[in-house]
Amino acid sequence: MTTGTSDGIASAVAEAGVATRAYPHGGVIFVKDDPADCAYVIVSGRVEIRETGRVLESIGPNEIFGEVGMIDGGSRSASAVAVGATEVRVIDRSTFDRLLRESPDFVMAIMRDMARRLRVMNANQRPATGLPLVPSRLEKRTAR
Protein backbone atom coordinates (compact mmCIF):
# COMPACT_ATOMS: atom_id res chain seq x y z
CA MET A 1 0.00 0.00 0.00
CA THR A 2 1.25 3.47 -0.70
CA THR A 3 2.06 5.75 2.20
CA GLY A 4 -0.63 8.23 1.09
CA THR A 5 -3.27 5.52 1.14
CA SER A 6 -2.19 4.26 4.56
CA ASP A 7 -2.04 7.78 5.95
CA GLY A 8 -5.49 8.68 4.58
CA ILE A 9 -7.10 5.70 6.25
CA ALA A 10 -5.15 5.79 9.51
CA SER A 11 -5.57 9.54 10.09
CA ALA A 12 -9.32 9.49 9.40
CA VAL A 13 -9.80 6.54 11.75
CA ALA A 14 -7.61 8.05 14.47
CA GLU A 15 -9.58 11.30 14.29
CA ALA A 16 -12.82 9.32 14.66
CA GLY A 17 -11.56 8.12 18.06
CA VAL A 18 -12.37 4.44 17.59
CA ALA A 19 -11.42 1.85 20.20
CA THR A 20 -8.42 -0.44 19.92
CA ARG A 21 -8.24 -4.17 20.54
CA ALA A 22 -5.15 -6.34 21.14
CA TYR A 23 -4.57 -9.84 19.74
CA PRO A 24 -1.77 -12.26 20.67
CA HIS A 25 0.28 -14.10 18.06
CA GLY A 26 -2.11 -16.48 16.30
CA GLY A 27 -5.17 -14.62 17.59
CA VAL A 28 -8.13 -15.03 15.25
CA ILE A 29 -9.68 -11.67 14.42
CA PHE A 30 -12.43 -13.11 12.26
CA VAL A 31 -13.20 -16.28 10.30
CA LYS A 32 -14.41 -16.67 6.72
CA ASP A 33 -18.22 -16.39 6.50
CA ASP A 34 -18.51 -14.47 9.79
CA PRO A 35 -20.84 -11.45 9.58
CA ALA A 36 -18.97 -8.31 8.53
CA ASP A 37 -19.97 -5.96 11.34
CA CYS A 38 -16.76 -3.90 11.51
CA ALA A 39 -13.51 -3.09 9.71
CA TYR A 40 -10.04 -2.84 11.22
CA VAL A 41 -6.94 -0.68 10.89
CA ILE A 42 -3.66 -2.10 12.18
CA VAL A 43 -1.96 0.06 14.81
CA SER A 44 0.98 -2.30 15.39
CA GLY A 45 1.91 -5.83 14.40
CA ARG A 46 0.85 -7.75 11.31
CA VAL A 47 -2.25 -9.58 10.11
CA GLU A 48 -2.48 -12.37 7.57
CA ILE A 49 -5.59 -12.67 5.45
CA ARG A 50 -6.03 -16.41 4.91
CA GLU A 51 -8.29 -18.67 2.94
CA THR A 52 -8.20 -22.47 2.64
CA GLY A 53 -4.70 -22.73 4.10
CA ARG A 54 -3.20 -20.01 1.89
CA VAL A 55 -2.01 -16.57 2.90
CA LEU A 56 -3.72 -14.16 0.50
CA GLU A 57 -2.09 -11.07 1.93
CA SER A 58 0.09 -10.01 4.84
CA ILE A 59 -0.56 -6.45 6.01
CA GLY A 60 0.95 -4.12 8.57
CA PRO A 61 0.52 -0.83 10.43
CA ASN A 62 -1.98 1.72 9.10
CA GLU A 63 -3.52 -0.75 6.66
CA ILE A 64 -7.24 -1.54 6.64
CA PHE A 65 -8.90 -4.93 6.36
CA GLY A 66 -12.43 -6.25 6.71
CA GLU A 67 -13.81 -3.32 4.73
CA VAL A 68 -15.15 -5.35 1.80
CA GLY A 69 -18.02 -6.83 3.80
CA MET A 70 -18.79 -3.40 5.21
CA ILE A 71 -19.09 -2.03 1.69
CA ASP A 72 -21.07 -4.82 0.02
CA GLY A 73 -23.00 -6.12 3.04
CA GLY A 74 -21.66 -9.65 2.57
CA SER A 75 -19.96 -11.92 5.04
CA ARG A 76 -16.19 -12.27 5.49
CA SER A 77 -14.55 -13.59 2.32
CA ALA A 78 -11.47 -14.87 4.21
CA SER A 79 -10.10 -15.21 7.74
CA ALA A 80 -7.80 -12.74 9.53
CA VAL A 81 -5.11 -13.89 11.99
CA ALA A 82 -2.63 -11.84 14.03
CA VAL A 83 1.05 -12.51 13.33
CA GLY A 84 2.88 -11.55 16.49
CA ALA A 85 1.30 -9.30 19.09
CA THR A 86 -1.05 -7.04 17.14
CA GLU A 87 -3.18 -4.03 18.02
CA VAL A 88 -6.01 -2.88 15.74
CA ARG A 89 -8.54 -0.07 15.68
CA VAL A 90 -12.09 -1.44 15.36
CA ILE A 91 -14.37 0.59 13.09
CA ASP A 92 -18.02 -0.23 13.75
CA ARG A 93 -20.73 0.13 11.09
CA SER A 94 -21.94 3.59 12.12
CA THR A 95 -18.41 5.03 12.26
CA PHE A 96 -17.49 3.42 8.93
CA ASP A 97 -20.62 4.87 7.28
CA ARG A 98 -19.93 8.28 8.81
CA LEU A 99 -16.34 8.27 7.54
CA LEU A 100 -17.60 7.36 4.06
CA ARG A 101 -20.01 10.31 4.14
CA GLU A 102 -17.74 12.89 5.77
CA SER A 103 -14.15 12.09 4.78
CA PRO A 104 -13.26 12.22 1.07
CA ASP A 105 -9.66 11.30 1.99
CA PHE A 106 -10.90 8.11 3.68
CA VAL A 107 -13.06 7.21 0.66
CA MET A 108 -10.23 7.81 -1.82
CA ALA A 109 -7.81 5.81 0.33
CA ILE A 110 -10.25 2.87 0.45
CA MET A 111 -10.74 3.03 -3.33
CA ARG A 112 -6.98 3.18 -3.98
CA ASP A 113 -6.38 0.25 -1.64
CA MET A 114 -9.09 -1.85 -3.29
CA ALA A 115 -7.72 -0.98 -6.75
CA ARG A 116 -4.21 -1.98 -5.64
CA ARG A 117 -5.47 -5.29 -4.30
CA LEU A 118 -7.39 -5.97 -7.52
CA ARG A 119 -4.29 -5.25 -9.62
CA VAL A 120 -2.20 -7.60 -7.48
CA MET A 121 -4.84 -10.31 -7.72
CA ASN A 122 -5.08 -9.90 -11.50
CA ALA A 123 -1.31 -10.00 -11.87
CA ASN A 124 -1.19 -13.28 -9.96
CA GLN A 125 -3.87 -15.01 -12.05
CA ARG A 126 -2.66 -17.71 -14.43
CA PRO A 127 -4.72 -19.50 -17.07
CA ALA A 128 -5.30 -23.16 -16.28
CA THR A 129 -4.20 -24.30 -19.75
CA GLY A 130 -1.10 -22.15 -19.99
CA LEU A 131 -2.67 -20.20 -22.85
CA PRO A 132 -3.56 -16.51 -22.55
CA LEU A 133 -7.13 -15.85 -21.48
CA VAL A 134 -7.43 -13.06 -24.06
CA PRO A 135 -5.31 -12.84 -27.20
CA SER A 136 -2.70 -10.10 -27.16
CA ARG A 137 -2.85 -7.27 -29.71
CA LEU A 138 -0.07 -8.93 -31.69
CA GLU A 139 -1.97 -12.23 -31.81
CA LYS A 140 -5.11 -10.43 -33.03
CA ARG A 141 -3.14 -8.74 -35.84
CA THR A 142 -1.47 -11.92 -37.04
CA ALA A 143 -4.75 -13.87 -37.04
CA ARG A 144 -6.26 -11.58 -39.68
Side-chain angles (χ1 to χ4, degrees):
M1 179 183 291
T2 65
T3 301
T5 302
S6 297
D7 291 347
I9 292 170
S11 63
V13 171
E15 288 174 17
V18 300
T20 60
R21 189 177 299 157
Y23 291 90
H25 175 71
V28 176
I29 300 167
F30 57 75
V31 175
K32 181 179 179 178
D33 296 324
D34 279 354
D37 56 356
C38 59
Y40 305 85
V41 173
I42 301 171
V43 176
S44 63
R46 295 200 68 75
V47 171
E48 287 183 348
I49 307 302
R50 301 176 180 177
E51 207 249 329
T52 60
R54 296 178 301 134
V55 175
L56 303 176
E57 187 173 24
S58 178
I59 56 178
N62 298 327
E63 293 190 83
I64 192 168
F65 64 100
E67 78 283 7
V68 172
M70 298 287 282
I71 292 168
D72 72 7
S75 59
R76 303 292 186 196
S77 59
S79 299
V81 178
V83 178
T86 300
E87 183 178 18
V88 297
R89 291 192 187 276
V90 182
I91 312 165
D92 64 26
R93 165 67 63 196
S94 64
T95 303
F96 188 83
D97 289 346
R98 181 171 49 81
L99 287 168
L100 291 177
R101 283 191 313 274
E102 298 174 3
S103 176
D105 289 342
F106 180 77
V107 172
M108 288 304 298
I110 294 281
M111 289 178 16
R112 284 186 189 110
D113 188 49
M114 292 181 86
R116 179 194 57 81
R117 287 177 179 168
L118 181 59
R119 286 182 186 275
V120 168
M121 185 180 69
N122 286 342
N124 291 329
Q125 295 298 311
R126 301 285 182 258
T129 62
L131 298 174
L133 296 176
V134 178
S136 69
R137 286 191 173 103
L138 178 61
E139 290 170 324
K140 286 181 185 177
R141 288 187 199 130
T142 58
R144 291 183 191 169

